[in-house]
Amino acid sequence: GLTPDNTAEMFCAFRKDWLKKRGGKAGQMSLIKVDGDSMEPTLMSGDLVLVDHSRTSVTGKGGIYAISIDQEILIKRIQVLFPQRKIRILSDNQHYEPIEADPDQVKINGRVIWFGRDMDK
């Protein structure tokens, strides 16, 4: 988890047509650095994820989203549970147990649409 911090450590360039193909606009996206091992092996600590903030509804298939719980930003796999009307928050690292929460406890900030990794770690 991360505490929100708007400090820019680096900048990345994305082509507008590439973003548009993915349904987003540059002004509605941000890069977030992954911190911790909860999403390994999919995402590693230090990876960058591109979050589309216009996509705040969880699809039937679920996906990886940036969410906020108690002022902390998490990058997690999310599923909607029907008919329980709950949100299941999953880590890809099997050492972490899934969490079920009421929708009003979780703010969905946007869907992760891309990630990048520094090969010189």
Side-chain angles (χ1 to χ4, degrees):
L2 299 171
T3 303
D5 177 2
N6 290 327
T7 305
E9 293 181 22
M10 68 182 309
F11 294 93
C12 293
F14 294 90
R15 290 174 45 126
K16 286 182 182 179
D17 62 326
W18 183 87
L19 294 173
K20 189 174 181 178
K21 281 182 189 177
R22 281 144 186 86
K25 296 179 183 172
Q28 295 178 314
M29 298 195 182
S30 66
L31 287 168
I32 298 174
K33 185 182 274 189
V34 175
D35 185 28
D37 66 352
S38 70
M39 286 302 289
E40 289 182 6
T42 308
L43 300 172
M44 311 293 272
S45 191
D47 286 355
L48 288 177
V49 293
L50 181 62
V51 177
D52 182 349
H53 297 285
S54 70
R55 297 170 72 180
T56 58
S57 296
V58 179
T59 65
K61 296 180 190 178
I64 299 176
Y65 290 82
I67 63 173
S68 295
I69 300 175
D70 297 328
Q71 305 297 321
E72 195 170 357
I73 297 172
L74 306 170
I75 305 298
K76 295 290 184 181
R77 196 170 296 279
I78 302 295
Q79 296 174 334
V80 176
L81 300 176
F82 297 105
Q84 301 95 322
R85 301 183 72 155
K86 297 270 187 182
I87 294 177
R88 179 175 286 154
I89 303 165
L90 301 152
S91 298
D92 285 0
N93 185 334
Q94 296 191 4
H95 290 101
Y96 295 86
E97 293 292 323
I99 299 167
E100 289 185 13
D102 291 322
D104 60 346
Q105 295 176 300
V106 179
K107 179 181 180 203
I108 299 172
N109 296 319
R111 186 178 175 113
V112 173
I113 63 167
W114 174 89
F115 81 93
R117 178 173 297 148
D118 186 354
M119 297 298 291
D120 289 333
K121 286 195 214 180

